[in-house]
Amino acid sequence: MKIVKKILKWFLILLGAIVAFILVVLLVIRINSSGDEELFLDEKGNVLPNSIAMHEDMTINGVPQRITIRGKDKNNPVLLIVHGGPGAPILPIIYKLSGIDLEDIFTVCYWEQRGSGLAYNDSIPDSSITLAHIVDDGLELSNHLKKTFKKDKIYIEGLSWGTAVAAYMVQKQPELYHAYVGSGLMANLSLSEELSYEFAMSESQKHNDTISINQLKQIGRPPYVENSKNSVTEAFEIERQIVMKYAPIKLDPDFNFIKSMFLDNGLTFKEKFTDMINSPESYYPAAKILESTAIDMNLMRDIPELKVPVYILQGDNDHFTETSVAKAYFDSLIAPSKKWFLFENGTHGVQVEYPEKYRSIYINEILGK
């Protein structure tokens, strides 16, 4: 009986310690959840006079979308970041903590597209979440940035799915842009997926990874179809997880996405937990809604020419947007000027893998400083 009481006593002490730890963690997160963007300060702690650090849920073409704008000097050129996915917005703090911060040389606008992010709500009909609408939203936003910051043109960078969105935007209104930058170029997703699947199967067989081999056989070769075990979205996720096993994005060991998200003052406590953690389907419904659109995206077919300078940043081991397909499109693309930057041993996240090279390309090549 004494042993039982002793075990119960230590169990309660341990449980109390765990509860106390969780409460402390939640308190720390709560303290760092003001919802206000971190300001740019000088050495004396004063706000830099011409800086900007803000976010807003603005209505673009009748639909709420969130934009975050950050920069040390509003006189700098404007850069619009078009995120990937579809439906995968990027938190600005990721750029800062991974060393790819461009906010000292640009006024950077991080745009959460319709059907993605914290401005989304269930009142927005799924039928309005289309590529055509997203492209028009991006053009409306580009004009807004031009007028707000009194610029003749802005720069645009697309990431993965965003490379295609940005390309359609530039094709439609090239006069808005100084240059097009594509990272993880999604040139022809259908062809890319076939090669990606072959890579995943080949690596799994090479490593005698029977679990992955069986998973790949179960979902079948792309284009994926709905079956009794997996949806199309789930098939993509299964294949991507296997690709990540054999071509993982190489992150700095000190770089922790979860920690950075929870300690980002730009998000409120509700946004971190209720919106992003508890309601992922509401946070990025575009992922499922636009999957068929994404698989049909083919810049080789749709955009043979861009009338602005083009810069492509690609990892040589990118099996999300296959590098061979991206290079074939780059070689065929007609543009006033174009440059191809290959990142050796890079995968689908060259910005976070090689932040110094990424930044130097912007400074020395794109801006030409």
Side-chain angles (χ1 to χ4, degrees):
M1 191 67 178
K2 287 183 178 180
I3 294 176
V4 173
K5 286 183 177 179
K6 194 171 184 178
I7 293 174
L8 181 59
K9 175 185 175 182
W10 283 108
F11 174 76
L12 292 174
I13 290 173
L14 178 61
L15 181 61
I18 293 172
V19 171
F21 174 76
I22 292 173
L23 290 174
V24 169
V25 170
L26 290 174
L27 178 61
V28 171
I29 295 173
R30 186 83 187 205
I31 292 170
N32 289 276
S33 302
S34 68
D36 298 322
E37 289 295 322
E38 181 182 350
L39 302 175
F40 294 96
L41 308 177
D42 61 20
E43 294 177 354
K44 296 181 180 179
N46 299 315
V47 177
L48 292 179
N50 206 36
S51 64
I52 182 170
M54 55 79 71
H55 63 247
E56 67 171 311
D57 296 336
M58 66 180 296
T59 299
I60 304 175
N61 292 325
V63 175
Q65 294 164 60
R66 174 165 292 197
I67 62 167
T68 302
I69 301 178
R70 297 183 52 82
K72 288 186 176 180
D73 186 345
K74 286 182 281 189
N75 291 325
N76 282 335
V78 173
L79 172 65
L80 173 59
I81 301 289
V82 185
H83 68 67
I90 295 177
L91 297 176
I93 196 169
I94 301 302
Y95 274 72
K96 177 181 178 181
L97 294 182
S98 57
I100 54 177
D101 187 5
L102 298 175
E103 294 166 6
D104 59 332
I105 55 176
F106 284 100
T107 297
V108 185
C109 177
Y110 308 87
W111 165 41
E112 299 182 24
Q113 302 157 24
R114 70 165 66 200
S116 312
L118 294 165
Y120 176 80
N121 61 67
D122 293 336
S123 68
I124 301 170
D126 288 356
S127 60
S128 76
I129 301 173
T130 67
L131 173 62
H133 281 130
I134 290 172
V135 169
D136 286 344
D137 293 343
L139 294 172
E140 183 71 20
L141 176 56
S142 297
N143 274 303
H144 170 77
L145 294 171
K146 274 185 55 182
K147 293 173 184 175
T148 300
F149 296 100
K150 298 179 174 59
K151 305 295 183 184
D152 293 330
K153 299 180 180 182
I154 67 172
Y155 291 83
I156 186 168
E157 177 180 355
L159 313 173
S160 194
W161 149 273
T163 62
V165 174
Y168 287 111
M169 290 167 59
V170 174
Q171 181 192 50
K172 201 166 183 180
Q173 292 190 28
E175 68 278 4
L176 295 178
Y177 305 103
H178 285 293
Y180 165 89
V181 183
S183 175
L185 180 61
M186 202 171 85
N188 180 337
L189 190 57
S190 179
L191 175 57
S192 184
E193 283 303 311
E194 292 177 14
L195 296 175
S196 180
Y197 183 93
E198 289 175 6
F199 168 80
M201 180 62 84
S202 174
E203 289 297 308
S204 298
Q205 292 171 338
K206 187 188 302 181
H207 292 84
N208 197 28
D209 181 355
T210 55
I211 293 176
S212 295
I213 292 170
N214 289 334
Q215 287 178 320
L216 289 168
K217 286 181 178 178
Q218 177 184 305
I219 63 175
R221 297 180 60 85
Y224 303 117
V225 295
E226 192 96 19
N227 60 44
S228 59
K229 291 187 177 181
N230 303 110
S231 68
V232 174
T233 301
E234 288 169 339
F236 269 110
E237 290 174 352
I238 290 168
E239 193 271 347
R240 288 291 192 256
Q241 288 170 2
I242 297 170
V243 169
M244 284 289 286
K245 184 186 297 188
Y246 297 111
I249 296 176
K250 297 175 284 295
L251 298 176
D252 186 313
D254 295 329
F255 174 67
N256 188 312
F257 171 78
I258 299 298
K259 181 175 72 176
S260 64
M261 182 189 79
F262 283 134
L263 297 181
D264 180 8
N265 249 321
L267 300 172
T268 65
F269 195 78
K270 175 182 177 296
E271 288 170 342
K272 291 174 183 178
F273 285 92
T274 304
D275 297 330
M276 299 178 73
I277 303 300
N278 293 336
S279 304
E281 289 188 3
S282 293
Y283 184 59
Y284 26 68
K288 187 170 184 178
I289 295 169
L290 293 171
E291 62 187 15
S292 59
T293 299
I295 200 67
D296 187 52
M297 276 185 167
N298 186 342
L299 302 187
M300 296 174 171
R301 174 194 65 209
D302 297 341
I303 306 181
E305 179 179 10
L306 287 175
K307 296 182 179 179
V308 302
V310 171
Y311 302 88
I312 303 299
L313 290 65
Q314 191 81 17
D316 65 357
N317 197 29
D318 186 343
H319 296 286
F320 276 24
T321 52
E322 286 282 345
T323 301
S324 61
V325 179
K327 185 61 163 64
Y329 174 62
F330 173 84
D331 289 342
S332 68
L333 180 66
I334 299 168
S337 64
K338 58 182 184 179
K339 290 190 177 182
W340 171 266
F341 298 95
L342 191 65
F343 288 67
E344 187 176 354
N345 297 318
T347 63
H348 195 56
V350 295
Q351 301 95 326
V352 296
E353 293 177 317
Y354 300 99
E356 291 182 4
K357 180 176 179 178
Y358 171 84
R359 182 179 166 86
S360 71
I361 289 170
Y362 260 101
I363 294 172
N364 299 315
E365 301 285 347
I366 298 172
L367 290 178
K369 291 186 176 181

